[in-house]
Amino acid sequence: MSQYKIEAGTGQHLGDRQEQQDRVGLFAAPKAPGYMMAVLADGMGGRTGGSMAAEQVVRTAKQLFDEFSPATGAVDDMLQTIAREAHTIIKLSGITAEKEPHSTMVVLVLSPEGTAHWAHVGDSRLYRFNGPNFAERTIDHSFVERMVAQGKFTPEQAKNHRLSNILVNVLGSMREEPFVTLGRYDGLRAGDAFLLCSDGLWHYFTDEELGAAIAMNGPRQLSEMLIRKARERAEGTMADNCTMAMVKLVVPPPEDKSYTVQKMRRAV
């Protein structure tokens, strides 16, 4: 019997925008039993363009995951292919529509061997927690994070900098090919958890707050609480969409061993 079971869910809020340009999904793999995927994309590019770009990321991820088999492919190769194919289709769609849509991407895949793989492009984030303890997160492909890496900004300065929404890596760019940052964690166990979220959510919380919240709540309760709190902290200025996906590993219920010979006979 598995040492953990997976609880997962998603949540979204429009914020103060007229259109929801984020997309999120949770998927199983038909040809890879025991594998699961969470994917989140934040589209940009004006009315309908951003939503189209984000939709293309999620659609591409699902199509490739439907075709994935560990007997013939590697998870990291699939993640790279998702980004590459989504980028190409978004770029071509932009040419056809005479627009320049972009999207971020963050994808998580869990395997039955107890390994987590993830990939991201842009500033949609993945957080990993051990119980309530923050373990790591993806580093945004943004101007301010580049300045932090160079020692020119502190993390506190970067968070509220006026250029904090300037990205240096996106899917769909006409000028540059995107790069994909991969991550991996082995030895998954009950108590581990992952949070995927757009910048419309993570901007309002510390790493420690997110860890405590995910440890104490199931998917529905977590999404309702975080979105409500984000809107409160925005104080009426929450202009961006707010989207998240939670994947939490919990102790499975005890196996029922109450069957008796008489009960089995009646069942037969």
Side-chain angles (χ1 to χ4, degrees), residues 165-220:
N165 63 339
I166 302 300
L167 301 182
V168 297
N169 185 38
V170 292
L171 301 177
S173 171
M174 300 290 185
R175 292 172 291 278
E176 295 184 26
E177 289 296 305
F179 60 89
V180 182
T181 300
L182 300 174
R184 175 179 176 138
Y185 177 71
D186 296 307
L188 292 171
R189 61 185 184 275
D192 290 335
F194 298 86
L195 180 67
L196 289 69
C197 53
S198 63
D199 61 333
L201 188 138
W202 60 252
H203 179 80
Y204 298 99
F205 299 96
T206 66
D207 301 340
E208 292 73 22
E209 286 176 326
L210 292 174
I214 201 169
M216 294 187 295
N217 293 278
R220 180 173 179 176

Side-chain angles (χ1 to χ4, degrees), residues 45-215:
R47 195 70 180 268
T48 72
S51 57
M52 178 280 293
E55 182 70 30
Q56 188 58 59
V57 173
V58 175
R59 187 178 302 164
T60 301
K62 183 180 186 306
Q63 289 174 345
L64 291 173
F65 199 44
D66 283 347
E67 299 168 2
F68 173 74
S69 169
T72 57
V75 174
D76 285 353
D77 291 341
M78 176 186 64
L79 295 174
Q80 294 272 14
T81 303
I82 290 170
R84 184 169 59 250
E85 291 193 3
H87 166 70
T88 299
I89 296 171
I90 293 169
K91 188 166 63 171
L92 292 175
S93 299
I95 294 171
T96 303
E98 297 183 347
K99 296 180 180 180
E100 192 170 355
H102 299 144
S103 183
T104 67
M105 177 191 92
V106 58
V107 184
L108 169 70
V109 175
L110 301 187
S111 79
E113 291 77 32
T115 299
H117 302 258
W118 59 86
H120 87 284
V121 177
D123 66 348
S124 291
R125 291 182 179 178
L126 177 141
Y127 292 81
R128 183 173 69 83
F129 303 97
N130 298 131
N133 302 312
F134 168 75
E136 61 179 317
R137 72 164 174 86
T138 53
I139 302 301
D140 306 334
H141 300 150
S142 65
F143 169 76
V144 294
E145 284 286 11
R146 181 174 289 180
M147 294 300 99
V148 170
Q150 295 174 0
K152 297 178 180 179
F153 290 172
T154 66
E156 292 72 23
Q157 290 172 325
K159 185 172 184 179
N160 297 304
H161 196 276
R162 61 185 177 83
L163 298 179
S164 61
N165 63 339
I166 302 300
L167 301 182
V168 297
N169 185 38
V170 292
L171 301 177
S173 171
M174 300 290 185
R175 292 172 291 278
E176 295 184 26
E177 289 296 305
F179 60 89
V180 182
T181 300
L182 300 174
R184 175 179 176 138
Y185 177 71
D186 296 307
L188 292 171
R189 61 185 184 275
D192 290 335
F194 298 86
L195 180 67
L196 289 69
C197 53
S198 63
D199 61 333
L201 188 138
W202 60 252
H203 179 80
Y204 298 99
F205 299 96
T206 66
D207 301 340
E208 292 73 22
E209 286 176 326
L210 292 174
I214 201 169

Side-chain angles (χ1 to χ4, degrees), residues 1 17-18 42 126 130 141 158 189 196 211 215 233 241:
M1 188 173 184
R17 289 193 171 182
Q18 296 182 338
D42 181 353
L126 177 141
N130 298 131
H141 300 150
R189 61 185 184 275
L196 289 69
R233 292 181 176 182
N241 303 146

